Amino acid sequence: QVQLVESGGGSVQAGGSLRLSCAASGRTYSVFCIGWFRQAPGKEREGVAAIYTTGGSTYYADSVKGRFTISQDNAKNTVTVYLQIDSLQPEDTGMYYCAAGPGGNPADPGWYGYWGQGTQVTVSS
């Protein structure tokens, strides 16, 4: 099993920044990709960024390129993945989830077997 805990969400004004964290523990050696998804009310879950824990390759959705930065910090038995969000816009509002899986299509939630509970991001104009 892999446990994922997100933190760092909050309410900010447009133009502000947030750094979300995803702490992964447990059998982290069994997953090779950790991704961030967001879901706004009434909308489908959207993959916004992902990182391959071995090698550090990254993926970004076109809608967030240039504003979102994903990174990781590996420690013994724990992997922490960060999502730096700059120039926040109201359309960035939603619940942000991190997910872990073996790889495949980083934007497809079906490739991920483990999910955190989410952290809320609210951006006001």
Side-chain angles (χ1 to χ4, degrees):
Q1 292 291 323
V2 176
Q3 294 79 42
L4 302 170
V5 179
E6 304 98 331
S7 61
S11 297
V12 298
Q13 291 191 327
S17 298
L18 283 173
R19 188 173 84 154
L20 309 184
S21 298
C22 172
S25 60
R27 302 175 66 179
T28 56
Y29 57 84
S30 65
V31 296
F32 300 100
C33 184
I34 295 180
W36 282 97
F37 289 76
R38 69 183 177 190
Q39 189 166 21
K43 294 189 176 180
E44 293 186 353
R45 195 166 293 192
E46 173 193 15
V48 294
I51 189 165
Y52 288 86
T53 56
T54 301
S57 297
T58 57
Y59 157 84
Y60 295 98
D62 288 342
S63 59
V64 306
K65 284 180 180 177
R67 298 191 300 117
F68 287 30
T69 305
I70 191 168
S71 61
Q72 65 177 346
D73 181 16
N74 294 346
K76 184 178 180 181
N77 297 327
T78 300
V79 175
T80 303
V81 173
Y82 302 99
L83 186 67
Q84 176 71 36
I85 310 175
D86 297 319
S87 301
L88 277 156
Q89 303 167 6
E91 50 265 39
D92 294 320
T93 293
M95 186 69 79
Y96 283 68
Y97 300 90
C98 72
N105 184 348
D108 184 350
W111 281 98
Y112 296 84
Y114 302 99
W115 292 84
Q117 293 299 306
T119 185
Q120 177 69 36
V121 172
T122 303
V123 185
S124 57
S125 57

